């Protein structure tokens, strides 16, 4: 079988083309390329979609995380807890403010931050000079983290909960939408994310008016009431009007796409061999399936067999953050990051986009089941 794509943005573009062309033409004619009306329109749509008070767009998911840290006045002398098994931007956003990322292990089934290890790390920090400020949870591969446990622990130690929802937009936790699950939520519109634009983009969600005001100021150089009254040291981090128009077009198919990916995930989960540890599907939570990730201790043999059959796979992530040259200085002596290390050597992701055909799906399942008996 030919042409199984890991992600099929071309097919998606064909489907939204009419709306997209209309919206793009309007932006070009209007020529309000920065903070044009589509930006506000999108922010209102995102706010309503997530059932949250405020949605503020910005230039990338990484910036969203950085803006969230800055809006909460997190900086030198502060500690922020985050998982080690994640995309580099999570820890980067903490470190770049001068704060210290404290790496916490993840659960082997959810791939998300382990609340027991979080609590252990908070307790261990008490004799150090750092000021524990926040937990930055990641909704890895699209599955929301355990926010009810995390919120309880955060409350006990007076920490804020920040959500790195770069991979989970469109997902739900206890029937509540991603965006409304933490004190502040950050997402990314990088093209390959569940809701992606045609370049870089991101957004922040919060119910807190002060955080909203801080974020809006910080994304525009720290402006005050007027453009040239500067009350904070900020960034240039706005979402382009063109990207907002693209996202508005994509929102028209977004819910249907998320549903379709959930249908595919259920088929994978029931039909794939138990040789693989399959991702969790939780009752009151819904993943946005940024990735469908399997585990096998024969990963390399399996992925090279699949490659020969023209089935693309990816490895997210081959190295946990505490093993990265730039970040290993943050590794604490008493850390226990065994799950993060093991997962890095066993995980691999297979195609799960809404434009996979039934034939392609069957072909992928058949080959995965075939190869599971081989090694
Ligand atoms: C993609 C991603 C980011 C960064 O988003 P960008 O828009 O690429 O800057 C941050 N965290 C996680 C978990 C991601 O997957």
């Amino acid at each position: 079988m030919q042409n199984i794509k890991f992600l099929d943005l071309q097919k998606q573009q064909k489907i939204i083309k009419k709306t997209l062309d209309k919206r793009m033409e309007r932006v070009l004619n209007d020529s309000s390329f920065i903070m044009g009306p589509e930006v506000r329109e999108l922010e209102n749509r995102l706010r309503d979609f997530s059932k949250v008070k405020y949605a503020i767009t910005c230039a990338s998911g990484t910036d969203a995380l950085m803006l969230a840290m800055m809006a909460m006045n997190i900086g030198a002398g502060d500690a922020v807890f985050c998982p080690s098994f994640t995309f580099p931007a999570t820890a980067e956003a903490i470190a770049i403010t001068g704060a210290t990322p404290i790496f916490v292990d993840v659960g082997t089934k959810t791939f998300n931050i382990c609340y027991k290890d979080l609590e252990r790390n908070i307790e261990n920090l008490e004799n150090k000079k750092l000021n524990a400020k926040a937990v930055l949870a990641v909704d890895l591969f699209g599955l929301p983290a355990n926010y009810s446990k995390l919120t309880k622990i955060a409350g006990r130690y007076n920490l804020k909960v920040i959500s790195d929802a770069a991979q989970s937009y469109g997902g739900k936790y206890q029937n509540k939408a991603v965006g409304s699950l933490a004190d502040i939520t950050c997402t990314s519109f990088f093209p390959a994310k569940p809701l992606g634009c045609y370049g870089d983009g991101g957004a922040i969600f919060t119910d807190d008016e002060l955080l909203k005001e801080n974020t809006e100021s910080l994304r525009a150089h720290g402006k005050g009431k007027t453009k040239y009254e500067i009350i904070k040291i900020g960034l240039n981090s706005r979402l382009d009007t063109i990207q907002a128009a693209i996202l508005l077009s994509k929102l028209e198919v977004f819910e249907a796409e998320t549903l379709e990916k959930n249908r595919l995930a259920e088929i994978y989960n029931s039909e794939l061999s138990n040789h693989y540890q399959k991702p969790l599907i939780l009752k009151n939570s819904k993943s946005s399936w940024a990735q469908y990730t399997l585990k096998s201790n024969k990963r390399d043999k399996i992925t090279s067999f699949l490659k020969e059959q023209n089935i693309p796979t990816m490895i997210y992530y081959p190295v946990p953050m505490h093993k990265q040259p730039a970040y290993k200085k943050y590794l604490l002596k008493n850390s226990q990051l065994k799950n993060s290390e093991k997962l890095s050597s066993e995980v691999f992701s297979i195609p799960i986009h809404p434009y996979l055909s039934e034939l392609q799906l069957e072909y992928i399942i058949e080959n995965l089941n075939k190869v599971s008996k081989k090694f």
Side-chain angles (χ1 to χ4, degrees):
M1 182 159 310
Q2 295 297 314
N3 217 16
I4 297 181
K5 293 196 169 122
F6 194 74
L7 189 68
D8 197 342
L9 295 176
Q10 279 121 333
K11 206 168 257 170
Q12 183 196 49
Q13 192 182 112
K14 277 197 191 120
I15 286 166
I16 60 168
K17 186 127 179 52
K18 258 200 185 143
T19 322
L20 187 64
D21 285 351
K22 226 166 78 193
R23 282 202 174 266
M24 294 292 268
E25 200 185 338
R26 210 214 73 83
V27 175
L28 295 180
N29 285 336
D30 192 42
S31 294
S32 273
F33 297 119
I34 301 290
M35 297 309 279
E38 281 79 2
V39 174
R40 189 65 69 197
E41 187 184 345
L42 174 68
E43 290 180 336
N44 292 343
R45 288 282 297 278
L46 295 172
R47 176 199 66 197
D48 296 346
F49 189 88
S50 285
K51 299 196 172 59
V52 70
K53 270 199 190 149
Y54 309 107
I56 307 106
T57 54
C58 63
S60 72
T62 306
D63 277 10
L65 290 166
M66 234 162 68
L67 287 165
M69 302 287 152
M70 292 165 81
M72 289 179 156
N73 293 313
I74 289 170
D78 296 333
V80 178
F81 302 88
C82 73
S84 178
F85 187 60
T86 181
F87 183 73
T90 311
E92 174 185 312
I94 301 167
I96 211 97
T97 66
T100 302
I102 307 283
F103 293 120
V104 177
D105 211 1
V106 295
T108 52
K109 292 202 169 125
T110 61
F111 307 119
N112 286 331
I113 194 163
C114 166
Y115 66 87
K116 284 185 193 147
D117 197 47
L118 170 67
E119 198 154 16
R120 197 184 61 80
N121 272 282
I122 299 171
E123 291 284 349
N124 281 344
L125 199 72
E126 287 189 351
N127 27 17
K128 302 232 169 53
K129 293 214 171 75
L130 293 172
N131 200 354
K133 272 280 180 73
V135 48
L136 172 48
V138 181
D139 302 342
L140 207 70
F141 307 142
L143 183 73
N146 189 343
Y147 288 100
S148 78
K149 277 268 168 28
L150 294 175
T151 307
K152 260 190 212 138
I153 294 173
R156 213 177 301 142
Y157 295 95
N158 201 19
L159 307 178
K160 293 277 184 201
V161 180
I162 307 169
S163 164
D164 180 346
Q167 302 183 5
S168 62
Y169 201 64
K172 283 193 170 159
Y173 174 78
Q174 294 182 347
N175 299 317
K176 282 171 70 188
V178 164
S180 67
L181 305 169
D183 294 306
I184 196 162
T185 299
C186 306
T187 199
S188 161
F189 303 129
F190 181 82
K193 307 286 170 160
L195 179 62
C197 58
Y198 292 165
D200 279 308
I204 285 170
F205 302 83
T206 186
D207 280 331
D208 184 322
E209 193 182 354
L210 182 64
L211 289 179
K212 173 246 186 191
E213 277 175 10
N214 286 351
T215 313
E216 278 187 342
S217 164
L218 287 162
R219 76 169 169 187
H221 307 290
K223 74 177 169 81
K225 288 223 163 57
T226 61
K227 191 171 169 184
Y228 288 109
E229 183 203 12
I230 301 301
I231 55 171
K232 291 179 173 27
I233 297 176
L235 306 170
N236 171 8
S237 183
R238 294 158 303 215
L239 181 74
D240 292 338
T241 310
I242 283 189
Q243 301 299 352
I246 291 160
L247 288 163
L248 282 163
S249 314
K250 288 214 189 180
L251 273 174
E252 296 192 5
V253 295
F254 184 55
E255 277 192 281
E257 287 187 345
T258 309
L259 277 174
E260 174 62 4
K261 284 191 287 180
N262 274 279
R263 189 184 73 88
L264 298 177
E266 278 181 25
I267 297 175
Y268 274 150
N269 268 37
S270 68
E271 311 243 319
L272 283 175
S273 151
N274 286 329
H275 165 84
Y276 308 103
Q277 188 194 299
K278 291 171 263 184
L280 276 187
I281 295 181
L282 299 172
K283 244 202 188 143
N284 297 321
S285 294
K286 193 171 82 184
S287 176
S288 62
W289 298 105
Q291 306 298 339
Y292 182 91
T293 301
L294 296 166
K295 268 170 56 181
S296 165
N297 53 11
K298 311 263 167 41
R299 172 179 74 189
D300 295 345
K301 285 180 175 158
I302 285 165
T303 51
S304 56
F305 174 86
L306 294 174
K307 194 171 174 203
E308 284 164 21
Q309 314 305 314
N310 293 318
I311 299 171
T313 59
M314 300 287 262
I315 293 173
Y316 303 116
Y317 295 93
V319 183
M321 289 308 291
H322 67 277
K323 295 260 184 186
Q324 294 287 6
Y327 287 86
K328 53 185 181 210
K329 65 179 176 194
Y330 295 113
L331 182 64
L332 302 175
K333 273 198 203 75
N334 51 18
S335 282
Q336 295 168 9
L337 297 159
K338 293 224 161 49
N339 294 346
S340 301
E341 286 170 18
K342 192 149 189 282
L343 286 173
S344 299
S345 70
E346 293 188 343
V347 290
F348 66 103
S349 304
I350 62 173
I352 187 161
H353 61 74
Y355 306 105
L356 271 181
S357 72
E358 296 300 316
L359 271 178
Q360 290 175 328
L361 187 71
E362 272 170 36
Y363 178 80
I364 294 168
I365 292 169
E366 191 186 299
N367 278 287
L368 271 159
N369 287 348
K370 198 193 288 174
V371 71
S372 71
K373 294 192 201 105
K374 240 174 120 131
F375 303 113

